Amino acid sequence: MSKKKQSSDASPAVLPAHIAIVMDGNGRWAKKRMMPRAAGHKAGVAALKKIIESASEAGIKCLTVFAFSSENWNRPEREVAILMDLFVSSIKKYLPELQQAGVVLRFIGDRSVFSDKLKASLQQAETSTQNNNFLNLNIAMNYGGRWDITEAAKKMLQDTSSGAVAAEQINESLFSEYLSLADLPAVDLFIRTGGEHRISNFLLWQCAYSELYFTDVLWPDFNGQELKQATQWFSSRQRRFGRTGEQVEEDAVSEHTK
Ligand code: IPE
Ligand code: IPE
Ligand code: MG
């Protein structure tokens, strides 16, 4: 991965400022190959590594991926343990390269229940990359969109109780400042691999106006070409944000002739 490769000649006309991905299908990928689910998760990490490179090369500034949902604790204990170990070993393995590439790593979700080892590894990864300024890579672990909103409400309530915020000041903009990723743009493009058409409690607030892209490709098979297809599809969408199609076209013409 090289910083130099990021260029403005990325092919899609309109690049999403922020892409969120539900990396689904690791288990089925492994099953198809008569391999244990753990092998699918390992292949999933390798796929993520490649996608980080492809996204950087395409000029994407923010990428948020779902690695473990607050509901994934419902899986067999052994699979959860394997995933937790994989998180620690993958961070150790890839951190130097990510650091070198200028990636800013951030983890979102409730980490209070993680082992001390995993907590320390997340902290170290964040601290050592915080002054980078290339790609913002956010990894959601023990994350849930409802958890995020509830936490934000709790923090805002604390500020209201202490007098730092007056109840009359509360609006969507103020509330969103308490959410994870408040400093980043809203998610433009939401991708889910693995064929399911659901959000599974990922970034609920942040995806309010995302374009939703679903593909049957299983996550370990998702590659730069697939990402390109998704971003090309994105650039063909007309984003109206409540306006009419005609209004959007007129605005595009006047922007063009400015
Ligand atoms: C996504 O792949 C990875 C995690 C949830 C950790 P899955 O493990 O859900 O794969 P499938 O859906 O069983 O194929
Ligand atoms: C969502 O995938 C979470 C991650 C990709 C980490 P799941 O495979 O767990 O989602 P559901 O439960 O089938 O909706
Ligand atoms: Mg799944």
Side-chain angles (χ1 to χ4, degrees):
M1 203 183 326
S2 124
K3 285 185 202 177
K4 278 186 233 104
K5 277 197 188 155
Q6 194 169 56
S7 66
S8 55
D9 64 354
S11 39
V14 187
L15 264 189
H18 189 166
I19 299 181
I21 310 182
V22 178
M23 309 183 288
D24 194 21
N26 295 349
R28 280 162 286 162
W29 183 92
K31 198 170 179 188
K32 264 174 54 184
R33 288 164 178 74
M34 319 275 259
M35 285 152 87
R37 292 180 61 85
H41 294 314
K42 209 171 158 213
V45 174
L48 174 59
K49 169 71 185 6
K50 290 213 195 90
I51 288 302
I52 296 167
E53 287 171 8
S54 305
S56 306
E57 284 164 19
I60 303 299
K61 289 287 178 201
C62 302
L63 179 65
T64 303
V65 297
F66 210 1
F68 191 88
S69 75
S70 42
E71 288 72 31
N72 286 144
W73 297 107
N74 292 328
R75 294 192 174 201
E77 220 172 285
R78 195 175 140 66
E79 180 167 344
V80 171
I82 286 172
L83 281 166
M84 295 298 147
D85 286 347
L86 187 63
F87 295 147
V88 175
S89 61
S90 306
I91 292 169
K92 193 168 177 216
K93 182 171 175 191
Y94 293 114
L95 184 59
E97 223 177 305
L98 294 171
Q99 165 71 312
Q100 180 73 21
V103 170
V104 184
L105 248 178
R106 203 190 299 182
F107 299 91
I108 58 169
D110 180 7
R111 64 179 83 178
S112 66
V113 293
F114 290 152
S115 69
D116 288 346
K117 197 172 168 191
L118 179 53
K119 274 191 240 173
S121 132
L122 303 185
Q123 185 62 52
Q124 196 219 339
E126 287 179 333
T127 312
S128 61
T129 61
Q130 65 187 356
N131 295 324
N132 289 343
N133 58 6
F134 198 53
L135 168 80
N136 284 289
L137 173 65
N138 312 299
I139 303 186
M141 275 167 51
N142 192 20
Y143 177 88
R146 288 176 182 162
W147 167 85
D148 199 354
I149 293 169
T150 311
E151 281 301 297
K154 223 192 302 183
K155 286 182 207 140
M156 199 172 67
L157 196 62
Q158 280 160 3
D159 280 353
T160 340
S161 311
S162 73
V165 164
E168 305 74 53
Q169 279 176 275
I170 299 174
N171 55 27
E172 287 183 15
S173 160
L174 181 79
F175 184 77
S176 66
E177 286 175 26
Y178 290 87
L179 290 161
S180 301
L181 313 180
D183 54 322
L184 301 180
V187 174
D188 288 323
L189 172 61
F190 174 101
I191 298 174
R192 180 170 187 144
T193 62
E196 308 295 352
H197 293 200
R198 53 179 178 251
I199 298 175
S200 298
N201 196 17
F202 197 21
L203 302 154
L204 298 177
W205 179 287
Q206 298 86 342
C207 284
Y209 245 113
S210 307
E211 298 296 329
L212 308 176
Y213 182 88
F214 299 102
T215 169
D216 288 340
V217 173
L218 302 172
W219 174 250
D221 291 329
F222 195 79
N223 57 26
Q225 191 51 40
E226 303 287 342
L227 182 71
K228 197 170 176 187
Q229 259 180 43
T231 52
Q232 273 168 347
W233 172 85
F234 172 82
S235 65
S236 74
R237 308 311 304 155
Q238 185 189 54
R239 306 193 76 196
R240 295 193 278 273
F241 297 103
R243 292 174 297 164
T244 65
E246 288 73 18
Q247 282 177 298
V248 176
E249 279 161 27
E250 278 162 28
D251 286 357
V253 170
S254 58
E255 187 63 33
H256 201 68
T257 49
K258 244 192 218 166

